[in-house]
Amino acid sequence: MMSHASRLVTCLTLAGLGALVGCRGDLPEDDLPVEIRLETAPTPPIVGPTRLVISIDDSIGVPIPDAAVEVEGRMDHAGMAPVRGTADPADAGQYVVPEFDFTMGGDWILRIRITLPDGREAVRDRELRVVSGGPPDGQDG
Ligand SMILES: [Cu+2]
């Protein structure tokens, strides 16, 4: 309950900043009790190295430490190599990719693979919009 509420707040916040093009719930790849929150620095993300902070909680909002977290970024057009990154553990339940290299502006899908301490794997997708260089103009591309 708490994690759903906090996720909603995060989605609304990010949507307000134009960072999210959609705020779909977790995709049904699995039914593991894993909730994630994705933050970027800068927000919204711009083309180039971007810090990703992924917070991982269980279904009642307790942080999950000691997971292994991999991120793969894709865009839905052909001819583009996916971008991959490995997240390092930070605070309890927090995982950081220091420099995730967004190679293009536009709509990205980040697939986050979480290997839990017991070996089970959860997969969560998050969409976000990466803005091209220069000052943000508030226009949709
Ligand atoms: Cu692209």
Side-chain angles (χ1 to χ4, degrees):
M1 175 176 103
M2 177 179 148
S3 59
H4 278 107
S6 65
R7 185 173 67 190
L8 178 62
V9 168
T10 302
C11 287
L12 292 173
T13 302
L14 291 177
L17 294 169
L20 280 186
V21 294
C23 201
R24 304 180 311 193
D26 292 344
L27 298 178
E29 290 95 352
D30 59 70
D31 56 5
L32 295 173
V34 174
E35 306 284 346
I36 73 158
R37 197 164 61 250
L38 170 66
E39 295 163 280
T40 66
T43 300
I46 60 173
V47 174
T50 300
R51 181 181 178 86
L52 304 180
V53 180
I54 301 158
S55 302
I56 304 178
D57 293 347
D58 68 13
S59 58
I60 58 171
V62 177
I64 300 176
D66 302 321
V69 180
E70 303 279 339
V71 182
E72 180 180 290
R74 296 172 284 121
M75 298 176 82
D76 64 355
H77 65 83
M80 183 181 165
V83 175
R84 294 187 175 85
T86 300
D88 304 316
D91 293 338
Q94 272 201 351
Y95 301 85
V96 173
V97 182
E99 293 190 334
F100 190 85
D101 193 15
F102 287 113
T103 49
M104 296 179 60
D107 294 335
W108 286 71
I109 301 168
L110 296 189
R111 173 151 290 184
I112 299 162
R113 294 183 183 278
I114 302 151
T115 305
L116 298 171
D118 65 7
R120 292 181 299 173
E121 185 179 77
V123 178
R124 299 289 181 268
D125 284 352
R126 287 294 179 272
E127 299 176 354
L128 52 77
R129 174 163 293 179
V130 175
V131 297
S132 300
D137 59 9
Q139 303 290 315
D140 287 341

